[in-house]
Amino acid sequence: MLSGARQSERRLQALGIAPYPYKLAAFILSGMGAALAGALMANYARFVSPDMLAWTKSGELMIMVILGGVGTLMGPVLGAIALVGLEYWLAGLTEHWQFVLGPLLIAVVLFARGGLMALLRRPGAPGRAQA
């Protein structure tokens, strides 16, 4: 229903389906998920500072989602694992790890349309059986 509402609300209305209740339910569920994540973060860190509201935090999350694959369930999880792993690994190699990470992220965005999940789903990808 949400996919149909994203594509064309008028089409859903023409079919006799009101998209507003579905969009409202999705908005409420996403707000509940964000509230739960914030509460768990505050409980985990035992301290909440204004730094946690910086735009760079949401930018990191967007990078994780884009890196893993937008529109997939496991894509953001894969993107988070890849980004944190790359940061950790590159920070161990050099002090200027951001200069290496930036071009890597740009290369994934340019050459892997759909993120890392699209690379894994592509026929002939490493780890996929050849038929």
Side-chain angles (χ1 to χ4, degrees):
M1 205 58 64
L2 292 174
S3 178
R6 183 181 61 209
Q7 291 176 7
S8 175
E9 284 189 39
R10 287 185 180 179
R11 187 179 304 153
L12 283 179
Q13 290 172 347
L15 291 172
I17 300 168
Y20 180 75
Y22 297 101
K23 290 170 63 176
L24 180 64
F27 179 74
I28 290 170
L29 285 173
S30 68
M32 288 170 52
L36 177 64
L40 290 174
M41 180 62 183
N43 191 28
Y44 172 73
R46 297 181 186 249
F47 176 72
V48 179
S49 73
D51 178 54
M52 292 182 182
L53 298 174
W55 65 270
T56 54
K57 297 291 183 186
S58 61
E60 276 185 29
L61 294 175
M62 290 305 298
I63 289 172
M64 289 175 188
V65 170
I66 293 168
L67 179 63
V70 177
T72 62
L73 187 61
M74 291 305 294
V77 175
L78 180 63
I81 291 169
L83 184 65
V84 172
L86 275 171
E87 285 178 357
Y88 181 77
W89 180 65
L90 290 172
L93 294 177
T94 178
E95 181 179 328
H96 305 289
W97 58 271
Q98 288 107 341
F99 288 116
V100 179
L101 183 63
L104 284 174
L105 294 176
I106 291 173
V108 170
V109 170
L110 289 176
F111 300 114
R113 186 175 182 98
L116 296 175
M117 286 300 289
L119 281 178
L120 293 177
R121 290 181 177 166
R122 183 180 298 166
R128 288 190 64 116
Q130 299 290 326

